[in-house]
PDB file of all heavy atoms in Angstrom:
ATOM      1  N   SER B  94      84.980  36.044 -39.976  1.00 97.00           N
ATOM      2  CA  SER B  94      85.004  37.198 -40.880  1.00 97.00           C
ATOM      3  C   SER B  94      84.010  37.029 -42.025  1.00 97.00           C
ATOM      4  O   SER B  94      83.468  38.012 -42.528  1.00 97.00           O
ATOM      5  CB  SER B  94      86.424  37.440 -41.415  1.00 97.00           C
ATOM      6  OG  SER B  94      86.872  36.299 -42.084  1.00 97.00           O
ATOM      7  N   ALA B  95      83.736  35.802 -42.405  1.00 97.00           N
ATOM      8  CA  ALA B  95      82.774  35.582 -43.501  1.00 97.00           C
ATOM      9  C   ALA B  95      81.321  35.693 -43.022  1.00 97.00           C
ATOM     10  O   ALA B  95      80.419  35.857 -43.844  1.00 97.00           O
ATOM     11  CB  ALA B  95      83.019  34.209 -44.125  1.00 97.00           C
ATOM     12  N   PHE B  96      81.090  35.611 -41.717  1.00 98.00           N
ATOM     13  CA  PHE B  96      79.718  35.605 -41.177  1.00 98.00           C
ATOM     14  C   PHE B  96      79.558  36.629 -40.052  1.00 98.00           C
ATOM     15  O   PHE B  96      78.988  36.330 -39.025  1.00 98.00           O
ATOM     16  CB  PHE B  96      79.359  34.202 -40.673  1.00 98.00           C
ATOM     17  CG  PHE B  96      79.191  33.190 -41.768  1.00 98.00           C
ATOM     18  CD1 PHE B  96      80.268  32.494 -42.248  1.00 98.00           C
ATOM     19  CD2 PHE B  96      77.943  32.967 -42.341  1.00 98.00           C
ATOM     20  CE1 PHE B  96      80.119  31.569 -43.290  1.00 98.00           C
ATOM     21  CE2 PHE B  96      77.781  32.048 -43.370  1.00 98.00           C
ATOM     22  CZ  PHE B  96      78.872  31.347 -43.846  1.00 98.00           C
ATOM     23  N   GLN B  97      80.039  37.853 -40.292  1.00 96.00           N
ATOM     24  CA  GLN B  97      79.966  38.868 -39.242  1.00 96.00           C
ATOM     25  C   GLN B  97      78.523  39.171 -38.861  1.00 96.00           C
ATOM     26  O   GLN B  97      77.698  39.500 -39.727  1.00 96.00           O
ATOM     27  CB  GLN B  97      80.656  40.139 -39.708  1.00 96.00           C
ATOM     28  CG  GLN B  97      82.165  40.022 -39.640  1.00 96.00           C
ATOM     29  CD  GLN B  97      82.863  41.250 -40.192  1.00 96.00           C
ATOM     30  OE1 GLN B  97      82.314  42.340 -40.165  1.00 96.00           O
ATOM     31  NE2 GLN B  97      84.061  41.056 -40.690  1.00 96.00           N
ATOM     32  N   GLY B  98      78.230  39.075 -37.573  1.00 95.00           N
ATOM     33  CA  GLY B  98      76.864  39.357 -37.085  1.00 95.00           C
ATOM     34  C   GLY B  98      75.872  38.277 -37.470  1.00 95.00           C
ATOM     35  O   GLY B  98      74.663  38.458 -37.342  1.00 95.00           O
ATOM     36  N   LYS B  99      76.361  37.150 -37.942  1.00 98.00           N
ATOM     37  CA  LYS B  99      75.452  36.103 -38.428  1.00 98.00           C
ATOM     38  C   LYS B  99      75.745  34.739 -37.819  1.00 98.00           C
ATOM     39  O   LYS B  99      75.399  33.708 -38.388  1.00 98.00           O
ATOM     40  CB  LYS B  99      75.523  36.042 -39.949  1.00 98.00           C
ATOM     41  CG  LYS B  99      74.996  37.337 -40.551  1.00 98.00           C
ATOM     42  CD  LYS B  99      74.878  37.309 -42.031  1.00 98.00           C
ATOM     43  CE  LYS B  99      74.194  38.575 -42.501  1.00 98.00           C
ATOM     44  NZ  LYS B  99      74.137  38.694 -43.918  1.00 98.00           N
ATOM     45  N   ILE B 100      76.394  34.733 -36.650  1.00 98.00           N
ATOM     46  CA  ILE B 100      76.633  33.481 -35.923  1.00 98.00           C
ATOM     47  C   ILE B 100      76.059  33.626 -34.520  1.00 98.00           C
ATOM     48  O   ILE B 100      76.410  34.552 -33.782  1.00 98.00           O
ATOM     49  CB  ILE B 100      78.131  33.131 -35.826  1.00 98.00           C
ATOM     50  CG1 ILE B 100      78.812  33.256 -37.196  1.00 98.00           C
ATOM     51  CG2 ILE B 100      78.301  31.725 -35.254  1.00 98.00           C
ATOM     52  CD1 ILE B 100      80.307  32.947 -37.174  1.00 98.00           C
ATOM     53  N   LEU B 101      75.172  32.713 -34.162  1.00 98.00           N
ATOM     54  CA  LEU B 101      74.525  32.735 -32.848  1.00 98.00           C
ATOM     55  C   LEU B 101      74.922  31.495 -32.058  1.00 98.00           C
ATOM     56  O   LEU B 101      75.125  30.434 -32.628  1.00 98.00           O
ATOM     57  CB  LEU B 101      72.998  32.678 -33.002  1.00 98.00           C
ATOM     58  CG  LEU B 101      72.227  33.954 -33.254  1.00 98.00           C
ATOM     59  CD1 LEU B 101      72.604  34.529 -34.593  1.00 98.00           C
ATOM     60  CD2 LEU B 101      70.743  33.653 -33.213  1.00 98.00           C
ATOM     61  N   ASN B 102      74.973  31.675 -30.723  1.00 98.00           N
ATOM     62  CA  ASN B 102      75.215  30.532 -29.838  1.00 98.00           C
ATOM     63  C   ASN B 102      74.181  30.562 -28.725  1.00 98.00           C
ATOM     64  O   ASN B 102      73.647  31.620 -28.391  1.00 98.00           O
ATOM     65  CB  ASN B 102      76.621  30.623 -29.235  1.00 98.00           C
ATOM     66  CG  ASN B 102      76.947  29.461 -28.314  1.00 98.00           C
ATOM     67  OD1 ASN B 102      76.635  28.302 -28.634  1.00 98.00           O
ATOM     68  ND2 ASN B 102      77.550  29.745 -27.174  1.00 98.00           N
TER      69      ASN B 102
END
Side-chain angles (χ1 to χ4, degrees):
S94 58
F96 290 87
Q97 283 176 27
K99 295 187 173 175
I100 312 179
L101 276 65
N102 180 43

